[in-house]
Amino acid sequence: MTTSTAPAATRRQELAAFLRSRRERISPEQVGLPLTGRRRTPGLRREEVAHLAAVGVTWYTWLEQGRDIQVSSQVLDSVARTLQLDPTERAHLFVLAGAEDPAPVVDCPTVTPAVRTLLDQLEPLPAAVLNSRYDILAFNRAYTRILGDLDALPFEDRNVMWLAFTDSYFASVLVDRESARAAVVARFRASMADHGAEPAWKCLLQRMRQASPDFEAMWERHEVEGLGNGLKRFLLPGVGLLRVEYTNLWLGPRPSTRLTVYTPLDEETRGRLEQLAAEG
């Protein structure tokens, strides 16, 4: 076995073991099958899973044996339903199979009262809660000093990428606009690899491509970039230059919804943020 094939082989073995463990925990009664005497092994038989999932017995057997076979998302979806996988187990199944989930579990966008309190306590530091699609789910007053009056916008426009590429206050005060735009497009493309089947992602992409030729040109470069921390500069009318570092803090077990905080890089910026807070 070569080094390049070892990870795939290991993942197939993990998939095989995972499927066996999930199959063995389900009793025939749970899926409406009659009892037919004593069973040598707990749970369902392979042929029963195959029948319930409407797949070939040989194919499912090979899958549980960790063989290198082609696995479609639709068949995995049927197997996941048959084995009564919960959302976490379902996601794990598709990751191990190296397939895209046709009906992925969407992270709940609800922001808890504790997170809202944290946003308020971070004043005068601008802070917001974003999802991996760059939707702005919650924010404090300091954040609106840079992004503009978000309350006046419809929810579909409360998106950092949308604001960066359209005629918005945020775009007008963003100093390093081109590099910031390129970075957000590359990160959006990298994130979309796990969400390509989701209507909300496809809708946003289509909307961006239609609204901005600049976005379309950057999208066609096929650049990808991982999400991380970095620096930004904003030039606010009547206030001056803000030099900040943005830090992402994950709010869940997976890198999806995050708290993004802007912290000042110098005393001038700190003073200007405090000035903005004092103005109310």
Side-chain angles (χ1 to χ4, degrees):
M1 182 183 300
T2 64
T3 302
S4 61
T5 60
T10 300
R11 192 167 61 181
R12 288 196 301 272
Q13 292 302 319
E14 287 289 333
L15 173 61
F18 179 67
L19 287 171
R20 287 194 298 272
S21 69
R22 301 303 91 174
R23 171 172 61 83
E24 290 172 356
R25 73 177 181 177
I26 298 178
S27 66
E29 300 96 314
Q30 287 179 266
V31 292
L33 293 177
L35 288 174
T36 55
R38 185 177 180 182
R39 293 178 173 236
R40 291 181 298 174
T41 57
L44 298 176
R45 300 186 178 102
R46 285 175 176 169
E47 57 268 26
E48 290 171 335
V49 173
H51 172 73
L52 291 168
V55 301
V57 175
T58 300
W59 181 91
Y60 182 78
T61 300
W62 285 351
L63 189 64
E64 271 206 16
Q65 290 174 344
R67 297 200 188 187
D68 187 7
I69 59 175
Q70 195 69 28
V71 184
S72 73
S73 297
Q74 290 71 24
V75 169
L76 286 172
D77 177 61
S78 183
V79 170
R81 295 175 188 276
T82 299
L83 296 178
Q84 302 179 8
L85 303 185
D86 66 25
T88 300
E89 292 169 332
R90 178 187 174 93
H92 187 60
L93 171 68
F94 278 86
V95 169
L96 290 178
E100 185 175 305
D101 192 343
V105 178
V106 179
D107 289 329
C108 179
T110 301
V111 179
T112 66
V115 172
R116 293 188 183 277
T117 298
L118 179 58
L119 284 171
D120 292 337
Q121 292 297 318
L122 284 168
E123 297 271 6
L125 302 182
V129 176
L130 310 176
N131 61 18
S132 54
R133 201 169 53 241
Y134 283 95
D135 293 325
I136 305 168
L137 306 180
F139 49 88
N140 61 15
R141 288 189 305 165
Y143 193 75
T144 64
R145 302 297 187 268
I146 297 174
L147 274 288
D149 186 2
L150 296 173
D151 287 322
L153 299 177
F155 180 79
E156 61 267 23
D157 288 354
R158 298 180 196 176
N159 179 281
V160 172
M161 189 165 60
W162 175 262
L163 295 174
F165 280 93
T166 57
D167 185 19
S168 69
Y169 179 78
F170 175 63
S172 71
V173 301
L174 186 57
V175 175
D176 306 300
R177 190 184 308 175
E178 290 308 302
S179 60
R181 284 175 166 180
V184 74
V185 172
R187 291 169 178 173
F188 177 74
R189 178 180 280 280
S191 295
M192 193 170 181
D194 291 328
H195 302 275
E198 297 179 35
W201 285 74
K202 293 190 289 187
C203 180
L204 175 59
L205 175 59
Q206 181 181 13
R207 190 169 181 237
M208 291 297 309
R209 299 180 79 165
Q210 292 175 346
S212 173
D214 290 339
F215 175 89
E216 174 70 13
M218 291 182 181
W219 183 257
E220 289 302 320
R221 296 176 191 170
H222 292 269
E223 300 288 345
V224 292
E225 181 179 322
L227 187 64
N229 305 324
L231 308 178
K232 273 191 172 65
R233 297 189 300 165
F234 303 98
L235 185 59
L236 273 58
V239 177
L241 182 67
L242 302 181
R243 297 177 65 251
V244 298
E245 178 176 6
Y246 59 90
T247 303
N248 293 299
L249 306 171
W250 304 116
L251 296 180
R254 294 185 298 152
S256 177
T257 306
R258 63 191 185 276
L259 174 66
T260 300
V261 184
Y262 291 159
T263 55
L265 283 172
D266 51 50
E267 289 303 316
E268 289 82 2
T269 297
R270 185 180 301 278
R272 287 164 183 160
L273 289 175
E274 291 174 353
Q275 172 191 337
L276 286 171
E279 291 175 354

